[in-house]
Amino acid sequence: MYGPYDHGWMFGAGSGMGFGGLWMILLWIILLLALFTLVKYLFFKPRDGERDTRPDRRTALDILKEAYARGDIARDEYLRKRDDLLHD
């Protein structure tokens, strides 16, 4: 006889639900890792020596190079400012 008290089809080993808890744990781990990665990407700056790979982040040296490329500053001014930035 099958039923809830006989541990037949509902709670037995053949119910197909043996990995349900494992899938739920795996789902929570994936969601928490995705949330952690998103928060880290949005709110934390890279440490010294690490390069920020986000395209919207320009350094002072990048801006100086662009100004020199546009012709806004002369070569000697560019070299002086570049040396100041690199030796800080």
Side-chain angles (χ1 to χ4, degrees):
M1 176 173 202
Y2 292 104
Y5 304 110
D6 199 13
H7 302 296
W9 57 271
M10 194 169 225
F11 298 107
S15 66
M17 298 295 287
F19 292 106
L22 182 65
W23 287 114
M24 182 61 77
I25 291 171
L26 186 63
L27 176 67
W28 277 108
I29 289 172
I30 291 171
L31 288 174
L32 288 174
L33 285 174
L35 181 64
F36 174 76
T37 303
L38 180 67
V39 168
K40 184 177 177 185
Y41 177 77
L42 292 176
F43 295 109
F44 292 100
K45 295 180 182 180
R47 294 183 209 140
D48 291 339
E50 292 181 1
R51 177 145 189 167
D52 191 358
T53 58
R54 291 183 284 181
D56 59 339
R57 304 288 294 187
R58 296 186 314 167
T59 65
L61 190 58
D62 293 334
I63 295 169
L64 182 65
K65 287 177 183 179
E66 291 172 7
Y68 179 60
R70 284 192 308 264
D72 293 342
I73 58 175
R75 185 175 193 278
D76 57 338
E77 184 180 358
Y78 165 74
L79 293 174
R80 185 172 32 87
K81 289 182 179 184
R82 183 195 65 182
D83 290 341
D84 287 344
L85 289 172
L86 293 176
H87 293 94
D88 277 343

